[in-house]
Amino acid sequence: TAVIGKTFYQRHVKAADLRILPPTGKEGLLKQLSEINGPAFDAAQVHPLIHDFYTETASWKFNIGVKWNRVLKPFVGVFMKQVAARVEQLNFPMSETDIADGMSSELFPITDAAGNFLYTCWLRCLPSSGKVIYSGFYAPANVPAYEGGIVKTIFPLPQGNVTVILYPEALPDGSFRFISKGNKHGGPGYYRVHQKKNGKLKMLMLPLREALHLMPRPNGTIEATHRFTLWNIPIVTLNFDIYKFAISN
């Protein structure tokens, strides 16, 4: 399909004969942060707030700020209007108006017909405009060119997707990072996957990098910075104020 939008995961589930689990309001991107343990990462070193965020992601809300590279912003703006808006995917906020109402967050765990968990769809939108920032599928995984657990994210696009492989890092202060930096094909990094007319897939490793840093605060909230670079040149930084809200039983 040429449009991704808010309902792509529903169309995907129907086409592949999959199932969406009933909502609980406590869905998480991971069952346990230890799922991605490895030689260079031990989840026990990460602050409990970060564990809670990744295991009950749906119960956290987001305020969002954005800082663009002033030189690159006009060029990115053209992409947003001509491509992202048309396919309804990867619509990064371009102005203060876009982020006035924060960012919505919905999670949809997906299983096969037998009930085996496959991955989670995480849908994030800008309520002020209804634009989709991310509609993607997330799952813990292992890859050939990295020793240890990673999170694999797939953002559908027409005739393919963007696949991002992120490795975890625990910092001494209890904060946590996901990083896509890598130089080996099959390891952490950004990949553009395109399906050609003959049905074969072409995979290209892109010079994009992202680093997501989550820092717990004493008041029980989380500060996060999400930086994107191209050939080590900063493109945009998303700043988040993440807080948990009460769920009615």
Side-chain angles (χ1 to χ4, degrees):
T1 179
V3 176
I4 306 305
K6 297 178 182 179
T7 61
F8 177 84
Y9 71 95
Q10 295 173 335
R11 303 194 303 272
H12 168 73
V13 163
K14 184 177 181 180
D17 191 27
L18 304 178
R19 306 290 185 270
I20 301 172
L21 294 181
T24 66
K26 294 185 178 182
E27 292 81 7
L29 290 172
L30 297 169
K31 292 182 179 179
Q32 300 291 335
L33 198 56
S34 58
E35 286 184 279
I36 52 175
N37 275 354
F41 175 71
D42 179 6
Q45 298 177 5
V46 178
H47 193 281
L49 275 177
I50 309 301
H51 282 261
D52 191 284
F53 172 76
Y54 278 106
T55 57
E56 294 191 3
T57 315
S59 64
W60 291 77
K61 286 194 172 184
F62 300 77
N63 290 326
I64 180 173
V66 60
K67 183 178 180 180
W68 284 96
N69 179 316
R70 292 183 180 181
V71 175
L72 296 179
K73 184 179 179 181
F75 301 98
V76 177
V78 172
F79 169 83
M80 293 298 170
K81 290 180 180 179
Q82 296 187 356
V83 180
R86 177 170 54 83
V87 302
E88 297 184 29
Q89 173 75 297
L90 304 178
N91 277 287
F92 281 70
M94 299 299 295
S95 68
E96 293 296 321
T97 303
D98 286 339
I99 59 177
D101 298 323
M103 181 183 78
S104 67
S105 171
E106 296 177 274
L107 284 87
F108 306 96
I110 295 172
T111 72
D112 62 18
N116 300 303
F117 173 77
L118 300 175
Y119 36 74
T120 297
C121 173
W122 192 11
L123 176 64
R124 286 165 287 177
C125 302
L126 295 170
S128 59
S129 63
K131 293 179 179 178
V132 175
I133 303 179
Y134 290 119
S135 179
F137 300 103
Y138 292 70
N142 295 95
V143 290
Y146 181 78
E147 189 177 1
I150 56 92
V151 163
K152 183 178 182 180
T153 67
I154 298 176
F155 302 107
L157 291 173
Q159 287 80 52
N161 65 72
V162 169
T163 295
V164 186
I165 296 173
L166 300 147
Y167 68 85
E169 183 177 65
L171 280 72
D173 61 358
S175 65
F176 173 82
R177 289 199 297 188
F178 263 133
I179 303 170
S180 70
K181 185 177 181 180
N183 298 310
K184 292 183 179 180
H185 204 278
Y190 257 80
Y191 299 85
R192 175 66 169 108
V193 181
H194 180 74
Q195 186 175 30
K196 298 192 290 185
K197 291 182 179 180
N198 60 10
K200 292 183 178 180
L201 295 178
K202 180 180 180 180
M203 182 180 292
L204 177 67
M205 194 172 190
L206 305 175
L208 286 164
R209 301 286 185 269
E210 70 174 280
L212 173 63
H213 187 190
L214 282 79
M215 299 158 280
R217 295 186 180 124
N219 65 356
T221 64
I222 298 172
E223 177 185 355
T225 59
H226 200 171
R227 295 186 173 91
F228 296 82
T229 60
L230 175 66
W231 286 299
N232 295 320
I233 300 171
I235 305 173
V236 65
T237 298
L238 302 178
N239 299 298
F240 295 100
D241 178 28
I242 309 174
Y243 58 98
K244 198 164 189 179
F245 63 97
I247 300 175
S248 302
N249 293 322

